[in-house]
Amino acid sequence: MKSYDVIVIGAGHNGLIVASKLASSGRKVLLIEAGETYGGMARSEVLFEGFQAPELASNAFGISKDVVQDLGLSKYEILFNEDGLKTVGLNTENENVIFGSSFGKSIEGIGKEEFKRWKELREKFFNQSHLFQRLASQIPVGGNHKTFGSKVNLFLTAAKLRLQGREQFQELLRMITMCIADLVEEELETPSLKGLISFDSTLGIKLGPRSPTSYLGLLYKLSQIKASYQEKSLSIHGGVTSFINALFKSAEENGVDFVFKGKVSSIIISDSVATGVKLENGVEYSAKTIVSSISPVNTFLDLVGAQNLETDLTRRIRALRYSGNTSKLNIILEEIPKLNNSQNLDENYRYVYAPSLASVESNFNSLKYNELPSDPNFEIYFNKISSESSLNGAVMASICIQNTPYSLKGGWKNSKEVLMKKVISTIQKLAPDFSKGILFKSLLLPHETEKKYCVAGGHWHHSELQIDSLYSLRPTFDVSDYSTPIDGLFICGAGTHPGGNLFGLSGLNAAKKILRESIK
Amino acid sequence: MIQSNGKNDRDIIFGKPLFRSPFYDFFAAQETEGNWYNWNGYKSPTIVSDQELEYFSIRSTCSVFDITPLNKYRIVGSQAVEFLNKLTVRDVAKQNVATVKYTLWCDQDGFVIDDGTLFRISDNDFRLCSQEKHLPWLIDTSHGFDVEIIDESKHVCGISLQGPTSASILRLLGVNGIDNLKPFHLFQTKISNIPIMISRTGFTGDLGYEIFLKNNVANKFIERVWNAGTNHGITAIGYNALNMARIEAGFIVANIDFISSDHAIRPNRCRRPDDLGLGWIVDLNKGFFNGRRAIINSKLEDSEVFKIYALEIDGKEPAEGSIIYYNKKDEVGTVTSAIWSPMTKKSIALAQLKLGSSKSKKDNLWVEIYSLKELQYHKLMKKVSIVKPPFVNLSRRSACPPAKC
């Protein structure tokens, strides 16, 4: 049996970060990945005629600055969009709004008064997101983790919020559990602007704009923007892949060993201490430290097994809400289509179809009852393909469809095509030539993501990012500090604090925790 | 009129409808006191006719007590042993087929949720009986095990025959093998073609048997037993008489002598097996089980906790609900169960006391009893001595074969 200091399960971005960081401290690290290559849900897949691109993660804002600096990733080429990402809020009346980078620093397509109100609101949003931003890079203070430093940090976070002034603080307390619908309706008038903000607050979360606490979804997103290179997002063209490649190279240079196509079947545990892992093909590796970057549901229920865990913990893990609610439609087009107003769809923009707040809410209502939305909301990125092959010059449309039920009433068998058609016909209304140029299309539903990417429920965040599953409640209060009741086993996936998109802080925090533990 | 099923199996005289056990009509026909209580949703007799007579039937003849209201869970499946090893604190792999073990189960903090008896009917077939309801806990614990949990509380009824003549009555009923049945063993047999499971167990510290059978044959069965026992002093008893016997035997009851961690609201009310004097049944070497880590950790820390003690009290006043003092002035705990014991001719009690590690405290304990005598309370301060339970240790309890009487 080969022996290592550390075994990391899952080569997603968090797994790569932990592996690289721990390897750089001189540990012998093995990274085991079930898939053929690294990247997890951000990995590249062959989509069409040899063309490779990330099948799920089309783009990401909020790569944590801390991660880039800590691992020294700037020496690798990460493709940032220097101008930031602009978003176009589409609607069928052709009254599109163009939402400037850094979440609407500037907006085209709305009146002067409306912009003034938005500017104030936006400032308030960003001020309040400070709460998350500050806590994101900390190991949550909770039952197991209550060092003096962590308590001081928590206190300072609260103090800083309070020091913004009495009124601001009261505003925060008033707003924090509100729904985004009430907040935007208090201040704004433009339907597509309200739709766009509601969409961004609830994408990937099982909440509608009128659900209480849906404002937290927005705060979370803004804090990610703040914790990253504010203005910059990853470039639409290969940005995600460049980031994942940089992580891989960093891990490789730090001496991490890799095993691909090695699905871990169980973590070997004796007397509540993790001593190694066993793969499905029977191979075993031993290590004193095992770090699982996969979903907490998979980690605890599949790899550790209920027979090694307290009933209280398995109860809480099984009670997590981890059914995915977003699907991904990838379409390859001959060329970039034109909009109704004969404007070219620009490949440097993100397009969001969420024409109004009511539309986002009605989409969510369908999700609630496991039905297909009648007029699905989605976001699109267009990505020009440059390759040697015949596809050169073609365009890939990455479409992320909100509110797709994990288990659809009546089953998915015939409805997959229906959902695809609905989305395409909506785009067709906006860009009449769209469907003519379609070379290839494929839709990945939550339950398909679950199977293909080995993540319970197919949830992008491993479990819901909601008020009851943040910070020291993520994934549950007794395992929120990345350690587990199994000695030597740690978790570091998106299911841990702070989770979310390609943030990367879950991995970095977990690595810090492990380093701290072993110094002890 | 015998109606045990259908519309009339719930009693609406009480504020809320209560279930009637299949033996309800039998007990209702005997009782003269109208003294019933709600045991686990069933209308059960507190006293049938005379508490003292009922108690002495346990100690000198044979008592019949209805144990139908107990929760009875059937645990079946290829991983039943593994499941029960995670659930309970004993090593179930070591429990032989056809035996019964007293056991406990804990939560993740090592606090006792409840105690109960585990019947191993065959290799992969168990019955767990408990005072409180635990179906959700059992089902949640069974996640990941090939095991099925069946709540058979409403389908299986039970009778407890306790007392020196109980074996003789069963002999008269033609139960072969009663002479060879050792304490905490069980077998399945038939009485007048009624299939029963019989075990040499009970809650009295006396010779006695518990019999489980299907509801639909309950009336026929109890009639046979009753007729067989006429010359052996068979007596139907209620809870009060049983309670006296169980205190003498030093048995504790969940939510009387300790609070189940399921019910406790105040965190310092929860108890670990050691605190209940039951540390000896916990098998820390059998591998993982619920609460193991916390129990191990609690042994390392030397914190003062409440523990259950058996007490003998000077004088003849029962000390129920009284406060125990150290040196007549510092409160150290409360009596949870107490009687004047007819067998030992002493006032005895079970109490939870916080004594810490100092041995000297144990020799200077006092109980303050408020004794009501003709409308006037007499405040008594009586000396307390800690003894080792049981208060009553009867050789006939474990004699095999049991005496013919």
Side-chain angles (χ1 to χ4, degrees):
Chain A
M1 202 196 307
K2 260 194 164 173
S3 170
Y4 286 85
D5 294 327
V6 180
I7 293 172
V8 181
I9 302 167
H13 66 291
N14 282 316
L16 288 165
I17 290 165
V18 165
S20 179
K21 175 88 181 155
L22 292 179
S24 74
S25 73
R27 288 167 171 75
K28 230 175 110 192
V29 180
L30 175 69
L31 181 50
I32 303 175
E33 162 64 38
E36 286 177 19
T37 182
Y38 54 87
M41 283 195 268
R43 75 180 178 226
S44 290
E45 290 277 324
V46 177
L47 292 176
F48 178 62
E49 290 185 2
F51 168 67
Q52 275 197 10
E55 189 181 21
L56 280 174
S58 24
N59 179 275
F61 43 72
I63 305 284
S64 163
K65 244 189 242 177
D66 290 359
V67 171
V68 175
Q69 283 164 4
D70 204 289
L71 297 178
L73 296 182
S74 34
K75 66 179 168 192
Y76 311 104
E77 198 190 8
I78 303 180
L79 303 172
F80 281 113
N81 190 348
E82 295 296 333
D83 304 327
L85 182 71
K86 286 186 181 176
T87 302
V88 180
L90 298 168
N91 63 24
T92 38
E93 281 87 53
N94 279 320
E95 287 163 356
N96 302 340
V97 290
I98 302 174
F99 205 62
S101 63
S102 195
F103 204 71
K105 206 171 177 185
S106 60
I107 300 186
E108 295 165 39
I110 59 171
K112 225 177 181 180
E113 282 299 305
E114 177 86 336
F115 182 68
K116 212 178 133 196
R117 288 191 293 267
W118 163 247
K119 219 176 125 185
E120 277 173 25
L121 190 62
R122 178 179 173 275
E123 203 183 304
K124 214 186 256 179
F125 288 166
F126 267 103
N127 268 337
Q128 299 186 350
S129 72
H130 171 79
L131 171 68
F132 285 119
Q133 185 209 337
R134 205 183 152 105
L135 295 177
S137 56
Q138 305 287 331
I139 301 168
V141 182
N144 303 326
H145 181 77
K146 33 191 170 192
T147 58
F148 180 69
S150 63
K151 282 188 202 161
V152 167
N153 183 64
L154 199 60
F155 176 77
L156 289 179
T157 306
K160 192 158 180 204
L161 285 168
R162 183 64 187 82
L163 288 175
Q164 289 180 349
R166 188 191 168 89
E167 262 177 45
Q168 291 272 16
F169 191 62
Q170 281 179 342
E171 263 308 82
L172 171 71
L173 295 182
R174 180 181 77 91
M175 286 164 68
I176 191 136
T177 56
M178 277 177 72
C179 66
I180 188 68
D182 284 353
L183 290 173
V184 293
E185 283 186 332
E186 267 175 13
E187 305 288 343
L188 305 175
E189 279 166 4
T190 320
S192 48
L193 182 57
K194 288 193 274 188
L196 178 60
I197 297 165
S198 324
F199 178 88
D200 271 348
S201 304
T202 55
L203 182 63
I205 303 173
K206 199 169 182 176
L207 288 178
R210 292 205 186 279
S211 314
T213 72
S214 55
Y215 170 53
L216 274 178
L218 182 63
L219 279 190
Y220 186 87
K221 217 157 263 184
L222 296 182
S223 69
Q224 283 197 331
I225 294 179
K226 277 178 89 177
S228 67
Y229 294 85
Q230 299 240 8
E231 289 292 312
K232 294 192 266 185
S233 66
L234 282 176
S235 159
I236 293 174
H237 308 282
V240 171
T241 308
S242 73
F243 174 62
I244 293 296
N245 284 343
L247 286 176
F248 176 69
K249 275 182 217 153
S250 152
E252 215 175 24
E253 275 170 29
N254 285 327
V256 175
D257 282 357
F258 287 86
V259 169
F260 291 109
K261 288 195 247 176
K263 192 170 182 194
V264 176
S265 63
S266 64
I267 293 170
I268 304 166
I269 292 161
S270 73
D271 204 13
S272 292
V273 179
T275 58
V277 299
K278 190 175 177 187
L279 306 193
E280 265 181 0
N281 59 15
V283 181
E284 293 182 10
Y285 298 95
S286 75
K288 274 197 176 145
T289 305
I290 318 275
V291 194
S292 170
S293 76
I294 65 173
S295 138
V297 180
N298 295 119
T299 306
F300 288 116
L301 300 185
D302 301 343
L303 301 191
V304 174
Q307 65 277 11
N308 290 307
L309 293 171
E310 297 281 348
T311 303
D312 303 73
L313 180 61
T314 52
R315 248 185 189 178
R316 286 190 281 275
I317 295 293
R318 290 172 63 216
L320 291 179
R321 288 157 294 158
Y322 56 88
S323 298
N325 46 49
T326 318
S327 60
K328 182 69 193 295
L329 174 61
N330 290 316
I331 297 180
I332 293 176
L333 299 159
E334 274 172 349
E335 55 176 7
I336 197 143
K338 276 192 168 73
L339 279 177
N340 263 340
N341 53 9
S342 74
Q343 234 177 350
N344 258 340
L345 281 164
D346 195 308
E347 57 207 75
N348 290 316
Y349 286 80
R350 176 173 78 117
Y351 292 89
V352 171
Y353 177 73
S356 68
L357 200 157
S359 150
V360 181
E361 182 66 19
S362 96
N363 262 244
F364 170 65
N365 284 341
S366 310
L367 173 73
K368 217 161 49 177
Y369 300 111
N370 287 326
E371 288 159 0
L372 276 188
S374 56
D375 183 21
N377 297 142
F378 52 85
E379 62 169 11
I380 319 180
Y381 294 92
F382 292 100
N383 183 352
K384 206 161 214 171
I385 301 171
S386 52
S387 73
E388 310 278 288
S389 73
S390 59
L391 279 180
N392 197 23
V395 171
M396 171 174 162
S398 301
I399 304 169
C400 181
I401 309 169
Q402 196 183 15
N403 295 325
T404 314
Y406 173 82
S407 41
L408 188 70
K409 225 181 251 174
W412 270 110
K413 206 176 162 222
N414 302 316
S415 304
K416 197 173 168 179
E417 197 64 31
V418 176
L419 178 63
M420 228 177 330
K421 272 190 186 144
K422 277 186 176 180
V423 172
I424 290 172
S425 77
T426 305
I427 304 174
Q428 187 76 13
K429 275 183 220 155
L430 305 160
D433 294 335
F434 183 81
S435 60
K436 279 185 202 157
I438 294 180
L439 298 171
F440 161 86
K441 58 183 186 212
S442 89
L443 174 63
L444 202 65
L445 295 167
H447 67 274
E448 294 166 336
T449 308
E450 172 174 49
K451 207 164 167 221
K452 189 163 180 183
Y453 290 87
C454 304
V455 51
H459 199 297
W460 292 12
H461 300 311
H462 291 187
S463 88
E464 280 290 317
L465 270 171
Q466 287 187 26
I467 191 163
D468 59 344
S469 50
L470 291 174
Y471 193 60
S472 56
L473 299 176
R474 187 164 184 84
T476 77
F477 67 89
D478 44 358
V479 290
S480 64
D481 67 338
Y482 310 100
S483 71
T484 69
I486 308 294
D487 286 334
L489 175 67
F490 295 84
I491 48 174
C492 73
T496 60
H497 167 81
N501 303 328
L502 286 178
F503 209 14
L505 281 177
S506 293
L508 193 65
N509 289 351
K512 283 180 187 163
K513 166 84 182 175
I514 294 161
L515 291 173
R516 182 205 300 252
E517 290 269 297
S518 36
I519 290 164
K520 264 194 251 161
Chain B
M1 190 59 188
I2 289 174
Q3 284 180 319
S4 63
N5 281 313
K7 281 180 209 160
N8 288 330
D9 70 343
R10 277 173 174 257
D11 200 290
I12 48 164
I13 300 164
F14 282 64
K16 51 191 166 182
L18 288 177
F19 287 109
R20 289 177 174 189
S21 127
F23 300 116
Y24 173 81
D25 294 316
F26 169 76
F27 282 90
Q30 310 266 337
E31 73 95 23
T32 56
E33 294 291 288
N35 203 342
W36 301 85
Y37 77 116
N38 175 352
W39 178 17
N40 210 0
Y42 283 85
K43 187 178 174 183
S44 308
T46 316
I47 298 170
V48 176
S49 57
D50 182 300
Q51 183 176 330
E52 274 69 37
L53 282 180
E54 287 166 31
Y55 164 79
F56 280 107
S57 76
I58 299 174
R59 295 297 183 217
S60 14
T61 56
C62 178
S63 63
V64 184
F65 183 72
D66 185 1
I67 54 171
T68 307
L70 275 177
N71 293 295
K72 300 165 286 278
Y73 302 104
R74 198 65 171 261
I75 295 149
V76 193
S78 67
Q79 283 186 303
V81 173
E82 287 86 344
F83 159 72
L84 285 163
N85 262 343
K86 173 179 172 178
L87 177 79
T88 64
V89 298
R90 280 186 115 130
D91 189 352
V92 180
K94 287 184 191 156
Q95 178 175 349
N96 293 326
V97 171
T99 62
V100 186
K101 295 274 185 203
Y102 172 71
T103 191
L104 297 174
W105 48 103
C106 300
D107 64 14
Q108 64 173 0
D109 301 311
F111 294 130
V112 177
I113 298 174
D114 202 357
D115 58 353
T117 41
L118 182 64
F119 298 73
R120 187 164 193 176
I121 297 166
S122 73
D123 274 343
N124 296 324
D125 187 359
F126 293 84
R127 173 177 288 152
L128 184 64
C129 292
S130 66
Q131 179 75 10
E132 300 288 329
K133 292 186 167 70
H134 296 293
L135 193 61
W137 182 256
L138 297 186
I139 289 175
D140 285 354
T141 305
S142 75
H143 178 83
F145 294 93
D146 174 28
V147 68
E148 196 186 350
I149 318 282
I150 305 150
D151 184 355
E152 46 179 25
S153 304
K154 290 278 180 310
H155 311 292
V156 171
C157 58
I159 273 288
S160 175
L161 298 177
Q162 303 282 319
T165 64
S166 53
S168 299
I169 293 172
L170 289 168
R171 276 189 209 107
L172 276 178
L173 283 164
V175 179
N176 295 323
I178 205 74
D179 286 326
N180 301 324
L181 187 62
K182 287 186 242 161
F184 294 106
H185 280 66
L186 67 89
F187 67 91
Q188 316 223 28
T189 182
K190 279 181 178 171
I191 289 181
S192 318
N193 261 333
I194 301 167
I196 57 165
M197 185 180 93
I198 179 163
S199 59
R200 188 163 165 187
T201 49
F203 211 51
T204 59
D206 215 305
L207 171 68
Y209 301 87
E210 287 173 325
I211 298 163
F212 290 99
L213 61 155
K214 287 265 157 59
N215 279 356
N216 54 5
V217 283
N219 278 313
K220 195 171 141 197
F221 173 77
I222 196 73
E223 213 180 296
R224 297 286 144 82
V225 173
W226 189 250
N227 291 337
T230 26
N231 293 332
H232 288 83
I234 194 164
T235 309
I237 66 161
Y239 174 74
N240 282 5
L242 180 82
N243 191 43
M244 290 170 74
R246 74 99 189 162
I247 295 171
E248 286 184 330
F251 295 144
I252 54 170
V253 178
N255 294 324
I256 291 180
D257 297 296
F258 69 96
I259 300 292
S260 154
S261 73
D262 258 6
H263 292 253
I265 296 167
R266 298 160 182 84
N268 64 353
R269 298 298 195 272
C270 299
R271 301 287 177 260
R272 297 208 170 88
D274 279 333
D275 311 338
L276 304 182
L278 295 169
W280 60 274
I281 70 169
V282 180
D283 189 341
L284 290 172
N285 301 318
K286 70 168 179 170
F288 178 81
F289 61 89
N290 276 336
R292 178 173 183 263
R293 176 179 283 230
I295 290 172
I296 293 174
N297 289 344
S298 76
K299 286 184 193 293
L300 302 176
E301 47 190 72
D302 189 35
S303 63
E304 274 198 13
V305 287
F306 279 101
K307 293 189 176 190
I308 291 192
Y309 292 91
L311 309 176
E312 279 181 10
I313 296 163
D314 280 0
K316 57 184 190 324
E317 316 294 332
E320 203 164 3
S322 302
I323 294 173
I324 312 264
Y325 294 88
Y326 163 65
N327 201 15
K328 295 192 183 178
K329 60 173 200 282
D330 302 330
E331 278 183 31
V332 288
T334 325
V335 170
T336 54
S337 296
I339 52 161
W340 183 80
S341 156
M343 288 292 277
T344 60
K345 308 280 184 280
K346 278 175 190 158
S347 171
I348 60 170
L350 298 170
Q352 48 172 357
L353 307 177
K354 199 191 230 172
L355 297 178
S357 48
S358 89
K359 284 237 161 74
S360 60
K361 266 193 179 177
K362 291 186 179 173
D363 301 328
N364 195 3
L365 294 177
W366 299 81
V367 60
E368 185 180 43
I369 304 172
Y370 286 79
S371 170
L372 184 64
K373 287 176 182 162
E374 296 181 328
L375 294 183
Q376 268 187 36
Y377 273 111
H378 293 240
K379 193 170 129 185
L380 311 168
M381 194 59 104
K382 294 286 186 185
K383 183 91 172 73
V384 166
S385 42
I386 293 174
V387 295
K388 206 172 167 282
F391 298 100
V392 172
N393 200 354
L394 298 164
S395 59
R396 63 173 176 259
R397 182 191 189 198
S398 47
C400 197
K404 293 193 165 90
C405 56

